[in-house]
Amino acid sequence: MSYLRFEKALMTNLEESVPRELLRTNRSGAYSCSTIVDCNTRKYHGLLVVPVPELDDENHVLLSSLDPTVIQHGAEFNLGLHKYQGNNYSPKGHKYIREFDCDKVPTTLYRVGGVVLKKEVVFQHYEDRILIRYTLVDAHSATTLRFRPFLAFRSVRQFTHENSVASREYTEVTNGIKTRMYAGYPELYMQFSKKVKFVFQPDWYRGVEYPKEQERGYASNEDLYVPGYFEMDIKKGESIVFSASTSACKTTGLKKLFQDEVDERSPRDNFFHCLVNAAHQFHNRTNKDERYILAGYPWFKCRARDTFIALPGLTLSIEEEDYFELVMETAMRGLYEFMAGKPLTAKIYEIDQPDVLLWCVWAVQQYAKHAGREKCNRKYGKLLYDILHYIIDNRHPNLKLCENGLLYSEGKDKAVTWMNSTAGGHPVVPRTGYIVEFNALWYNALKFCASMAADYGDATEAADFERYATLCGKSFVETFVNEYGYLFDYVEPKDNPDWSVRPNMIFAVALDYSPLTPAQQKAVLDVCTRELLTPKGLRSLSPKSGGYNPMYVGPQTQRDYAYHQGTAWPWLGGFYMEACLKIYKRTRLSFIERQMVGYEDEMTSHCLGTIPELFDGNPPFHGRGAISFAINVAEILRTLELLEKYKY
């Protein structure tokens, strides 16, 4: 039995099948995404979605979907599925699905009378090419296949509507056609592995509706252009391969190309392998051979903070040290450009956020544990010391080292932490002043770099870092620890501290070096357990605190106010579980294993085989936001690695 497999009863029940999404990527920014019944429910969905750098910095849906039709004895059975206005689904091809399997590649089995048709899909690595193999498993009569391509040629953030500007021109190429709806876009090549007849029958399919956009309070309707249809005969046992790409392909090699891509895939036959597969989907290699980590799908780019938080889990925890080094090579260039005040050539967003440098030190610290301190010092020692001196010298535009040894950031008018939702141009959570995780990370960075300098660098420098750490640690306890046993989330020296119970204090326990005593660490952990812990991670705010809003639903503004006001985040749960193991050691192994069950349940929900961005903070803890989120996958992988270390 496959790990990711669904039977007919679920597939034909749209209430169960339509919410389940499927993501394939090429590790170069392009992706293919839809639901398991091939009914697009988001404007971000599409069979071929690619970046078009000549136009903008967004992804663009070229080929929205491809509807196959089985024809026997003149009777047509359309296997496609679209949602139209008025809650109408057509042509309801899902009723012919017998099973769906996503072990190695997404595989759908259709049965139409005596016809059994198998469809398999792969996205070619590092190429903007989606490949679909159709195999006629069984048929008792002559069978014809017809394919209608639905074209969009639009940004993922926009919609297309019937218009007179769209070009209807096409050019025949080997076993297919190429076409381009608008100037500035690349040509879309649609080709088959065998000779095919193309019938030019242009039309617009109007009123296609995307329910996920309705839920999010956005416009949700568009029209899609169908230039005509492809048609060919197929024999029992025969396989044909369809290719959609921005470049022509050698059609005689399509079958081999498809099989080679299948052979490269590792099976998603358990929880861990699903997460490894998801980790690889965040890889992004550009034309310049740079390496990045995308923050999530389908709408996130490469963000600096997310890169450094996710990097250890997505690489080191699955024994892929080489990819860590490749990403760091690109990121280091961006960091040095930022610290030198030069224009960025690395395509990393939000590198100016004040905690990015601190998270970078943490990521390098994890590398030292895996690769060894000597190798770490050789590759990243200079970067570590340069970062610390940059901060100590107060050269960061929004990270001031105060006389008490703590770091101060201004966040009233602009969000500066990971809690970055805004409404009306202002932060929903205006965290400003001494921010708890900034200073926990700062203390950890000073202690780690002091130990590295003592072993491999300058003893004087090591002593300086230790002196700063001692001052920071003393002020940290005096500033953040309150009489109720938890830590203030942030403290503005001129105002009252923020008494909200938030998860950011967990870092002061989970990090290798903590300014807190063991008793203080236990008290913080206990508060997090009582008030913040859910089966899907830590809540962003305690239900006992004012403004608790755990349901991430409704229009944009409503969701912005809920984003960090009670929603649950798996990546925070990763640091919580690390803190648990740090304090309670092996006695909490079974507890953490039970927590992992809450994440494994997500492998067959929402987007198959991965973890969404966040969850509602109240039962049933429904997944929300981006369908696949890098730091969540990373921290679960890192937790699984920690579990293994504590077991043996």
Side-chain angles (χ1 to χ4, degrees):
M1 178 68 70
S2 296
Y3 187 72
L4 298 178
R5 186 171 182 269
F6 303 101
E7 300 286 356
K8 175 185 176 182
L10 184 143
M11 297 299 292
T12 56
N13 181 351
L14 292 182
E15 287 188 4
E16 290 289 333
S17 57
V18 166
R20 289 176 163 87
E21 298 176 64
L22 187 66
L23 173 69
R24 301 283 83 189
T25 77
N26 73 341
R27 305 187 190 181
S28 289
Y31 69 86
S32 177
C33 186
S34 186
T35 62
I36 60 175
V37 286
D38 290 328
C39 179
N40 292 344
T41 58
R42 300 179 188 267
K43 60 187 176 185
Y44 297 92
H45 280 171
L47 195 57
L48 182 63
V49 186
V50 302
V52 185
E54 296 81 7
L55 289 177
D56 54 31
D57 201 29
E58 296 291 349
N59 284 320
H60 291 256
V61 182
L62 300 186
L63 179 61
S64 179
S65 58
L66 182 73
D67 279 15
T69 299
V70 174
I71 305 173
Q72 273 198 339
H73 305 296
E76 300 179 7
F77 304 91
N78 194 322
L79 308 185
L81 181 64
H82 306 273
K83 186 178 186 297
Y84 293 92
Q85 291 171 287
N87 205 34
N88 295 312
Y89 287 89
S90 177
K92 297 185 178 179
H94 66 290
K95 64 186 178 183
Y96 301 116
I97 299 176
R98 287 302 173 262
E99 66 179 56
F100 174 85
D101 187 310
C102 198
D103 186 14
K104 253 199 168 185
V105 299
T107 303
T108 308
L109 201 65
Y110 297 91
R111 187 179 187 95
V112 182
V115 175
V116 178
L117 184 70
K118 181 168 71 172
K119 182 183 75 174
E120 302 162 280
V121 184
V122 296
F123 207 129
Q124 186 179 355
H125 283 161
Y126 308 115
E127 294 288 340
D128 293 346
R129 176 175 287 111
I130 189 76
L131 298 168
I132 308 176
R133 181 167 66 186
Y134 295 91
T135 304
L136 190 61
V137 178
D138 198 7
H140 304 305
S141 308
T143 305
T144 300
L145 293 182
R146 180 179 293 167
F147 301 93
R148 278 190 174 84
F150 286 68
L151 309 185
F153 278 80
R154 60 160 174 83
S155 163
V156 291
R157 298 186 185 275
Q158 299 172 336
F159 292 103
T160 189
H161 295 282
E162 183 176 3
N163 64 84
S164 58
V165 178
S167 172
R168 295 188 174 194
E169 294 182 6
Y170 71 93
T171 303
E172 290 193 2
V173 296
T174 307
N175 295 348
I177 67 168
K178 68 175 181 178
T179 187
R180 175 170 55 196
M181 288 179 65
Y182 306 106
Y185 276 93
E187 298 271 13
L188 172 63
Y189 289 79
M190 294 178 284
Q191 298 172 275
F192 289 84
S193 58
K194 65 178 285 187
K195 191 172 182 180
V196 64
K197 179 176 72 173
F198 176 70
V199 178
F200 181 58
Q201 196 178 72
D203 200 1
W204 286 87
Y205 282 64
R206 303 163 188 87
V208 177
E209 190 170 75
Y210 302 113
K212 283 291 185 181
E213 303 307 322
Q214 280 183 312
E215 289 177 17
R216 290 158 54 84
Y218 297 133
S220 58
N221 295 289
E222 78 171 339
D223 309 325
L224 294 171
Y225 172 64
V226 177
Y229 60 84
F230 302 96
E231 194 170 277
M232 68 180 69
D233 295 330
I234 186 170
K235 298 177 181 178
K236 179 180 175 179
E238 183 182 3
S239 293
I240 61 168
V241 176
F242 167 79
S243 164
S245 176
T246 55
S247 61
C249 65
K250 190 176 181 180
T251 57
T252 54
L254 275 177
K255 288 186 178 181
K256 182 179 184 304
L257 176 62
F258 187 95
Q259 191 57 50
D260 289 345
E261 288 293 327
V262 171
D263 293 341
E264 281 187 25
R265 303 301 191 273
S266 55
R268 298 198 287 181
D269 51 6
N270 58 40
F271 180 41
F272 176 72
H273 287 156
C274 282
L275 293 175
V276 172
N277 184 281
H280 292 157
Q281 291 183 340
F282 300 114
H283 291 189
N284 188 15
R285 185 182 76 179
T286 68
N287 292 334
K288 294 180 180 179
D289 217 30
E290 298 170 330
R291 299 295 196 281
Y292 298 95
I293 295 292
L294 294 178
Y297 282 96
W299 50 74
F300 284 110
K301 303 295 183 183
C302 174
R303 303 192 302 191
R305 181 189 295 115
D306 298 67
T307 292
F308 294 122
I309 296 175
L311 194 53
L314 296 185
T315 59
L316 303 176
S317 295
I318 56 176
E319 304 302 323
E320 294 182 3
E321 190 178 299
D322 56 338
Y323 199 78
F324 179 101
E325 294 169 358
L326 289 170
V327 173
M328 277 299 298
E329 186 177 339
T330 304
M332 281 171 62
R333 191 179 83 239
L335 290 173
Y336 275 113
E337 288 170 345
F338 167 71
M339 289 191 288
K342 297 179 180 178
L344 289 185
T345 59
K347 293 182 180 179
I348 303 177
Y349 293 80
E350 301 175 11
I351 204 166
D352 61 333
Q353 294 286 356
D355 58 335
V356 164
L357 296 174
L358 302 171
W359 279 114
C360 176
V361 174
W362 175 83
V364 172
Q365 186 179 17
Q366 309 316 304
Y367 180 86
K369 297 177 188 177
H370 282 260
R373 288 165 61 87
E374 193 277 330
K375 183 178 180 181
C376 176
N377 181 71
R378 190 171 66 250
K379 293 187 73 69
Y380 306 120
K382 182 178 184 303
L383 174 67
L384 292 174
Y385 308 140
D386 287 345
I387 286 175
L388 259 62
H389 286 299
Y390 179 80
I391 295 173
I392 289 170
D393 294 342
N394 276 326
R395 287 186 280 149
H396 194 287
N398 194 16
L399 196 63
K400 179 184 177 184
L401 180 60
C402 299
E403 291 182 1
N404 61 3
L406 298 179
L407 295 178
Y408 180 100
S409 287
E410 176 58 55
K412 286 183 179 179
D413 298 321
K414 181 182 177 182
V416 296
T417 77
W418 76 273
M419 291 186 162
N420 56 2
S421 58
T422 58
H426 296 282
V428 174
V429 186
R431 305 177 71 220
T432 191
Y434 303 133
I435 298 169
V436 67
E437 76 270 23
F438 285 21
N439 285 285
L441 285 163
W442 176 233
Y443 179 84
N444 177 73
L446 287 167
K447 294 289 287 186
F448 170 61
C449 291
S451 69
M452 291 289 285
D455 290 345
Y456 306 104
D458 186 330
T460 303
E461 193 162 49
D464 285 344
F465 292 157
E466 279 289 358
R467 180 168 54 82
Y468 280 112
T470 301
L471 181 60
C472 174
K474 180 176 182 294
S475 297
F476 187 97
V477 172
E478 293 172 351
T479 303
F480 291 105
V481 177
N482 62 48
E483 61 266 37
Y484 297 102
Y486 67 95
L487 306 183
F488 294 124
D489 192 53
Y490 60 91
V491 177
E492 172 60 58
K494 297 178 182 179
D495 300 316
N496 292 325
D498 180 68
W499 289 83
S500 303
V501 177
R502 292 192 181 273
N504 304 300
M505 57 183 165
I506 196 64
F507 298 109
V509 183
L511 298 175
D512 288 0
Y513 299 98
S514 172
L516 303 178
T517 66
Q520 290 168 335
Q521 292 181 46
K522 184 178 181 302
V524 168
L525 185 65
D526 289 346
V527 170
C528 289
T529 305
R530 288 196 309 269
E531 301 193 28
L532 301 175
L533 185 63
T534 76
K536 308 298 183 184
L538 292 188
R539 292 185 180 98
S540 46
L541 182 66
S542 166
K544 296 179 181 179
S545 297
Y548 181 65
N549 187 1
M551 311 303 284
Y552 188 70
V553 294
Q556 181 71 57
T557 302
Q558 184 177 332
R559 285 182 284 117
D560 286 339
Y561 278 108
Y563 198 42
H564 300 114
Q565 292 293 87
T567 52
W569 297 75
W571 75 278
L572 294 171
F575 284 94
Y576 167 84
M577 288 180 274
E578 184 176 20
C580 264
L581 290 171
K582 180 179 175 183
I583 292 177
Y584 293 106
K585 305 296 190 292
R586 293 169 58 87
T587 61
R588 288 297 171 94
L589 285 176
S590 60
F591 165 72
I592 292 174
E593 286 173 341
R594 290 195 300 274
Q595 282 291 119
M596 288 291 103
V597 173
Y599 299 128
E600 186 165 9
D601 290 343
E602 298 304 315
M603 295 297 99
T604 54
S605 305
H606 309 300
C607 187
L608 301 190
T610 189
I611 304 292
E613 182 180 1
L614 72 162
F615 294 83
D616 290 338
N618 282 0
F621 307 108
H622 196 282
R624 308 287 186 185
I627 61 176
S628 186
F629 204 53
I631 58 177
N632 288 343
V633 172
E635 277 305 293
I636 295 170
L637 281 168
R638 207 167 64 85
T639 301
L640 290 173
E641 181 193 25
L642 286 170
L643 274 173
E644 291 302 310
K645 286 182 177 178
Y646 274 90
K647 281 180 181 178
Y648 301 106

